[in-house]
Amino acid sequence: MEIKTKQQGIKVVADVLDIVGGKWRGQILAHLCDDPKRFNELKTVLNRITSSTLTKELRYLEDIKMVERKIIQDTPMIVEYRLTDHGMSIKDLIYHIVEWGLKHRNTVFGK
Amino acid sequence: MEIKTKQQGIKVVADVLDIVGGKWRGQILAHLCDDPKRFNELKTVLNRITSSTLTKELRYLEDIKMVERKIIQDTPMIVEYRLTDHGMSIKDLIYHIVEWGLKHRNTVFGK
DNA sequence: GGTTTAAGTATCCTGAAAACTACCGGTAGT
DNA sequence: ACTACCGGTAGTTTTCAGGATACTTAAACC
């Protein structure tokens, strides 16, 4: 699938920002870049997120095949979230985002 | 300024998504990548945005030095919005976003 | 038998973003 | 004289993502 018109490109931008945007999804993906994490690990590291919000965001990321939920053990229940193979591809994008973010910070606030 | 800890990196991601996220800012920047545009050109091409919202988003992008407002002529008033030199640097990021977006679309919806 | 841990659900509520509506001053066209 | 275009501003209303709070199931420790 190739990009033929400019409007299509802009649509793609809007779609990606929908995936990675919002208050939490970018952060969740960034945290999962390094290694799988359990529900409460994510909850701790994402300061002030509530269980219900975290659940909702993780379900969304599962639906779009970015994240896998894996039950490691029940009783006590242990669940692990990890990036799918496809999800891994977001690492590069996150790298580019950070790179630009640092450049921007220098430009706007000076060195 | 370098990035030392993971938390710092995640902060940068959140900051960038704050700039480029939301319903309109990414689209506005993407449209300005090619060439400067007038207020009503942007309004037409951004389907269903209102004047007040467009004004607000453009002011924000001006404040963070991404976009320049230039009065070309008054009576009839002609105003042009263009990326600043620094704003141009977002082009690469948008390119990477589109690239990943296309890959993602293929993965999730199949070819 | 009371508390703790893990991974959530269910329900209601709030605040900010965006939409809607109306308006402005000046100009050009019919 | 009337209408439309241009680039907005002002005030109000709607929407909905995310927050707050309480509850659940099942085992395990004290």
Side-chain angles (χ1 to χ4, degrees):
Chain A
M1 198 186 293
E2 257 314 305
I3 167 168
K4 274 152 202 146
T5 71
K6 189 172 156 194
Q7 277 295 341
Q8 274 176 29
I10 306 244
K11 175 73 163 51
V12 174
V13 171
D15 288 350
V16 172
L17 291 175
D18 206 53
I19 291 168
V20 91
K23 187 166 177 183
W24 298 114
R25 293 201 277 246
Q27 291 185 64
I28 292 171
L29 291 170
H31 275 290
L32 292 177
C33 274
D34 301 335
D35 38 59
K37 292 219 164 31
R38 293 167 56 180
F39 186 86
N40 279 337
E41 279 185 280
L42 282 171
K43 209 185 152 184
T44 302
V45 84
L46 297 166
N47 213 16
R48 307 210 173 277
I49 196 171
T50 60
S51 293
S52 48
T53 300
L54 180 54
T55 300
K56 203 176 4 145
E57 302 296 0
L58 287 169
R59 293 289 173 274
Y60 171 81
L61 292 172
E62 277 182 87
D63 287 345
I64 62 168
K65 318 276 187 251
M66 293 293 294
V67 163
E68 269 170 5
R69 178 179 188 268
K70 196 171 175 187
I71 297 172
I72 302 296
Q73 167 192 310
D74 36 273
T75 74
M77 197 163 196
I78 293 180
V79 178
E80 204 175 73
Y81 292 92
R82 62 170 70 219
L83 295 182
T84 62
D85 286 349
H86 168 58
M88 296 288 188
S89 68
I90 201 81
K91 279 191 195 183
D92 283 343
L93 185 55
I94 288 176
Y95 173 78
H96 290 299
I97 288 173
V98 171
E99 193 180 38
W100 184 85
L102 292 173
K103 197 193 309 183
H104 173 75
R105 203 153 70 180
N106 290 344
T107 301
V108 176
F109 304 114
K111 195 91 177 175
Chain B
M1 198 184 297
E2 258 314 306
I3 166 169
K4 273 152 203 148
T5 70
K6 188 173 156 193
Q7 278 294 341
Q8 272 177 30
I10 300 211
K11 176 71 164 49
V12 175
V13 171
D15 287 351
V16 173
L17 291 175
D18 208 52
I19 291 168
V20 92
K23 187 165 177 184
W24 298 115
R25 283 180 216 155
Q27 291 185 63
I28 292 171
L29 291 171
H31 274 291
L32 292 178
C33 273
D34 302 336
D35 37 60
K37 293 221 164 28
R38 293 168 58 180
F39 186 86
N40 277 338
E41 279 184 281
L42 283 172
K43 208 185 154 183
T44 302
V45 84
L46 297 166
N47 213 16
R48 306 209 174 279
I49 197 172
T50 60
S51 292
S52 49
T53 301
L54 181 54
T55 301
K56 201 174 8 135
E57 300 297 0
L58 286 169
R59 294 290 172 274
Y60 172 81
L61 292 171
E62 277 183 86
D63 287 346
I64 62 166
K65 317 278 188 247
M66 292 294 295
V67 162
E68 268 169 6
R69 178 178 187 270
K70 196 169 173 186
I71 297 172
I72 303 295
Q73 166 193 310
D74 36 272
T75 76
M77 197 163 195
I78 294 180
V79 178
E80 204 176 72
Y81 291 92
R82 62 171 68 218
L83 296 182
T84 61
D85 286 348
H86 168 57
M88 295 288 187
S89 68
I90 201 83
K91 279 190 194 183
D92 283 343
L93 185 55
I94 287 177
Y95 173 78
H96 290 300
I97 288 173
V98 171
E99 193 181 40
W100 184 85
L102 292 172
K103 197 193 307 181
H104 174 74
R105 202 153 71 180
N106 290 343
T107 301
V108 176
F109 303 115
K111 194 93 177 174

Coordinates of all heavy atoms in Angstrom, one line a residue, chain B residues 11 20 23 31-32 35 39-40 47 51 54 64-65 67-68 70-71 75 78 83-84 98 100:
Chain B
K11 N 9.7 11.4 29.4 CA 9.2 12.8 29.6 C 9.3 13.5 28.2 O 8.4 14.2 27.8 CB 10.1 13.5 30.6 CG 9.8 15.0 30.8 CD 8.5 15.2 31.5 CE 8.4 16.7 32.1 NZ 8.7 17.7 31.1
V20 N 2.6 17.9 19.2 CA 2.1 17.4 17.9 C 0.8 16.6 18.0 O 0.1 16.4 17.0 CB 3.3 16.5 17.3 CG1 3.1 15.1 17.7 CG2 3.5 16.7 15.8
K23 N -6.1 16.9 18.2 CA -6.9 16.6 17.0 C -6.3 17.3 15.8 O -6.4 16.8 14.7 CB -8.3 17.0 17.2 CG -9.2 16.6 16.1 CD -10.7 16.7 16.5 CE -11.6 16.4 15.4 NZ -13.0 16.6 15.7
H31 N 0.4 19.9 6.9 CA 0.0 20.7 5.7 C 1.0 21.8 5.4 O 1.1 22.2 4.2 CB -1.4 21.3 6.0 CG -2.5 20.3 5.6 ND1 -2.8 20.0 4.3 CD2 -3.4 19.7 6.3 CE1 -3.8 19.2 4.3 NE2 -4.2 18.9 5.5
L32 N 1.6 22.3 6.4 CA 2.6 23.4 6.2 C 4.0 22.9 5.7 O 4.8 23.7 5.4 CB 2.7 24.2 7.5 CG 1.5 25.0 7.9 CD1 1.7 25.8 9.2 CD2 1.1 26.0 6.8
D35 N 4.4 23.9 1.7 CA 4.5 25.3 1.4 C 3.6 26.2 2.3 O 2.7 25.6 3.0 CB 4.1 25.6 0.0 CG 2.9 24.7 -0.4 OD1 1.8 24.8 0.2 OD2 3.1 23.9 -1.4
F39 N -4.8 31.5 6.0 CA -5.7 31.1 7.0 C -6.8 30.3 6.4 O -7.1 29.1 6.9 CB -6.3 32.3 7.8 CG -7.1 32.0 9.0 CD1 -6.5 31.7 10.2 CD2 -8.5 31.8 8.8 CE1 -7.3 31.4 11.3 CE2 -9.3 31.5 9.9 CZ -8.7 31.3 11.2
N40 N -7.5 30.8 5.4 CA -8.7 30.1 4.9 C -8.3 28.9 4.0 O -9.1 28.0 3.9 CB -9.5 31.1 4.1 CG -10.5 31.8 5.0 OD1 -10.7 31.4 6.2 ND2 -10.9 33.0 4.6
N47 N -10.7 19.7 7.2 CA -12.1 19.6 7.2 C -12.8 19.8 8.6 O -12.4 19.1 9.5 CB -12.5 18.2 6.6 CG -13.7 18.2 5.8 OD1 -14.2 19.3 5.4 ND2 -14.3 17.1 5.6
S51 N -13.0 28.4 12.9 CA -12.0 29.6 12.9 C -11.4 29.7 14.3 O -10.2 29.9 14.4 CB -12.8 30.9 12.6 OG -13.2 30.9 11.3
L54 N -8.9 26.9 14.9 CA -7.7 27.1 14.0 C -6.8 28.3 14.6 O -5.6 28.1 14.7 CB -8.1 27.4 12.6 CG -7.0 27.6 11.6 CD1 -6.0 26.4 11.6 CD2 -7.5 27.7 10.2
I64 N 5.5 28.5 20.4 CA 6.6 27.5 20.5 C 7.5 27.6 19.3 O 8.3 26.7 19.1 CB 6.1 26.1 20.8 CG1 5.3 25.5 19.6 CG2 5.3 26.0 22.1 CD1 5.1 24.1 19.7
K65 N 7.4 28.6 18.6 CA 8.4 28.9 17.5 C 8.4 27.9 16.3 O 9.4 27.7 15.7 CB 9.8 29.1 18.0 CG 9.9 29.9 19.3 CD 10.0 31.3 19.1 CE 10.3 32.1 20.3 NZ 9.1 32.9 20.8
V67 N 5.9 27.9 14.0 CA 5.2 28.5 12.8 C 5.3 30.1 12.9 O 5.4 30.6 14.0 CB 3.7 28.1 12.9 CG1 2.8 29.1 12.0 CG2 3.5 26.7 12.4
E68 N 5.4 30.7 11.7 CA 5.5 32.1 11.6 C 4.2 32.7 10.9 O 3.8 32.1 9.9 CB 6.6 32.6 10.8 CG 7.9 32.8 11.5 CD 9.1 33.0 10.6 OE1 8.9 33.0 9.3 OE2 10.2 33.1 11.0
K70 N 2.7 35.8 8.9 CA 3.2 36.9 8.1 C 2.1 37.6 7.4 O 1.4 36.9 6.6 CB 4.2 36.4 7.1 CG 5.1 37.4 6.5 CD 6.2 36.8 5.7 CE 7.1 37.8 5.0 NZ 8.1 37.2 4.1
I71 N 2.0 38.9 7.6 CA 0.9 39.6 6.9 C 1.5 40.0 5.6 O 2.5 40.8 5.5 CB 0.5 40.9 7.7 CG1 -0.1 40.5 9.1 CG2 -0.5 41.7 6.9 CD1 -0.4 41.6 10.0
T75 N -6.0 44.8 3.4 CA -7.0 45.3 2.5 C -6.8 44.9 1.1 O -6.2 45.7 0.4 CB -7.2 46.8 2.7 OG1 -6.2 47.5 2.0 CG2 -7.4 47.2 4.1
I78 N -4.3 39.6 3.7 CA -3.7 38.3 3.4 C -2.7 37.9 4.4 O -1.7 38.7 4.6 CB -3.1 38.3 1.9 CG1 -4.3 38.5 0.9 CG2 -2.4 37.0 1.7 CD1 -3.8 38.6 -0.5
L83 N 6.2 27.3 8.2 CA 7.1 26.8 9.2 C 8.3 27.7 9.4 O 8.8 28.2 8.4 CB 7.6 25.4 8.8 CG 6.5 24.3 8.7 CD1 7.2 23.0 8.4 CD2 5.7 24.1 10.0
T84 N 8.7 27.9 10.6 CA 10.0 28.6 10.9 C 11.1 27.6 10.4 O 10.9 26.5 10.1 CB 10.2 28.8 12.4 OG1 10.2 27.6 13.1 CG2 9.1 29.7 12.9
V98 N 4.7 8.8 9.0 CA 4.0 8.3 7.9 C 4.5 6.9 7.6 O 3.7 6.0 7.3 CB 4.1 9.2 6.7 CG1 3.5 8.5 5.4 CG2 3.4 10.5 7.0
W100 N 6.0 4.7 9.5 CA 5.6 3.7 10.4 C 4.1 3.5 10.3 O 3.6 2.3 10.4 CB 5.9 4.1 11.9 CG 5.5 3.1 12.8 CD1 6.3 2.0 13.2 CD2 4.3 2.9 13.5 NE1 5.6 1.2 14.1 CE2 4.4 1.7 14.3 CE3 3.1 3.7 13.6 CZ2 3.3 1.3 15.1 CZ3 2.1 3.3 14.4 CH2 2.2 2.1 15.2

